[in-house]
Amino acid sequence: MTRLTPLYSSLKAFQITYQTPQETLLTTPETLPTAEPATPQISYTVADADLPDISIQPESKMLIGVVIGAGQFTTAGTLYWKMLKNGSAVNDGSFSVSANYYYTINAYFLDVAVGDTLELSLWSSVSDSVWDYKAYQIQITRFKVLGNFRLEYKTASAQPALTEGNPSALATRPSRFCFDRASDYGQEISPPQTWDVYRSHETYGMYRLHYGDRIYANGVSTYTHPTYRPVYIRNECPTLFHIRFLNLEMGV
């Protein structure tokens, strides 16, 4: 008698719940220095409580630390910024800000861990500019599940969702789903979507986030606006997968 092993395993539900971003709007804005400060204005140490909750842990994943800073210029000038991780410079740059405009820096630290300190230093070419807003969030990218499986991508949420300081979400980009091909850097896909057979990419896992991984990895996006602060961009972060592992064995 021939015995056939079931084609698929029982259903596994991978639920990801994101933490609410930590936001601070200063009651009294702080004046920016005209030279790089000895101590960064914005500093955040990654804690266990900041990590998204996952119902079933994957084989591996990577964390992105999103750090946002914002403020305003009275006189037109140049804003200088530097990203630091555990005291070491990650990236730096500058951009112009018009008179009476707000500015926002969205900084993305790729591959962080609990205990890492993520910092953003700000300084200005003029003496009457200020900073008054900061926000932090941890996001998940390169979520890897091993083997061959039937993948149902069920839901996602736009992250971060900011509320303080008259915010404006400029854009939201879907995650890039990656397949088991070294040359395939992923395809932007929103839920719901089903693949009868799926295998994670060796490097990028099932998916990679657009902002902070596909682009702006260990870098920033910057914006200025006469009214809105912060102006920010969001990832469409996956929040629920249904997986049934493919069983290719046959028994007799």
Side-chain angles (χ1 to χ4, degrees), residues 59-73:
E59 275 70 20
S60 64
K61 61 184 182 296
M62 192 174 287
L63 303 178
I64 296 173
V66 182
V67 179
I68 300 173
Q72 188 177 31
F73 274 48

Side-chain angles (χ1 to χ4, degrees), residues 37-240:
T39 302
Q41 293 94 337
I42 298 172
S43 182
Y44 158 61
T45 299
V46 181
D48 278 312
D50 302 323
L51 272 56
D53 292 325
I54 307 176
S55 61
I56 302 174
Q57 288 294 326
E59 275 70 20
S60 64
K61 61 184 182 296
M62 192 174 287
L63 303 178
I64 296 173
V66 182
V67 179
I68 300 173
Q72 188 177 31
F73 274 48
T74 299
T75 303
T78 301
L79 179 71
Y80 300 89
W81 57 267
K82 179 180 283 187
M83 296 170 60
L84 301 102
K85 180 180 178 182
N86 299 325
S88 298
V90 173
N91 205 340
D92 61 78
S94 64
F95 60 98
S96 298
V97 184
S98 300
N100 299 312
Y101 266 57
Y102 292 102
Y103 66 85
T104 306
I105 300 175
N106 297 261
Y108 298 91
F109 294 82
L110 179 64
D111 196 10
V112 303
V114 172
D116 284 344
T117 298
L118 314 178
E119 296 176 302
L120 190 58
S121 285
L122 306 174
W123 65 102
S124 173
S125 65
V126 293
S127 60
D128 56 355
S129 53
V130 301
W131 81 276
D132 64 356
Y133 175 89
K134 60 183 178 180
Y136 322 112
Q137 190 185 44
I138 297 296
Q139 299 180 359
I140 293 176
T141 192
R142 306 194 186 189
F143 190 98
K144 182 182 286 188
V145 176
L146 298 181
N148 297 288
F149 48 87
R150 185 177 196 271
L151 173 62
E152 297 178 32
Y153 178 23
K154 306 293 285 187
T155 62
S157 65
Q159 299 292 339
L162 304 177
T163 60
E164 298 291 334
N166 194 28
S168 175
L170 185 65
T172 303
R173 291 293 293 271
S175 293
R176 304 184 72 90
F177 276 72
C178 305
F179 302 88
D180 189 26
R181 296 190 295 274
S183 62
D184 193 336
Y185 285 84
Q187 177 182 356
E188 287 191 347
I189 294 174
S190 294
Q193 176 71 39
T194 297
W195 295 269
D196 285 332
V197 180
Y198 197 95
R199 187 176 180 87
S200 296
H201 191 282
E202 182 177 349
T203 301
Y204 302 126
M206 284 166 47
Y207 71 88
R208 62 195 303 208
L209 296 186
H210 187 78
Y211 299 122
D213 191 353
R214 179 67 179 87
I215 64 172
Y216 305 136
N218 291 315
V220 307
S221 63
T222 62
Y223 304 97
T224 65
H225 199 276
T227 305
Y228 294 115
R229 172 268 278 117
V231 176
Y232 68 105
I233 51 182
R234 303 187 294 185
N235 282 310
E236 189 177 83
C237 297
T239 54
L240 179 61

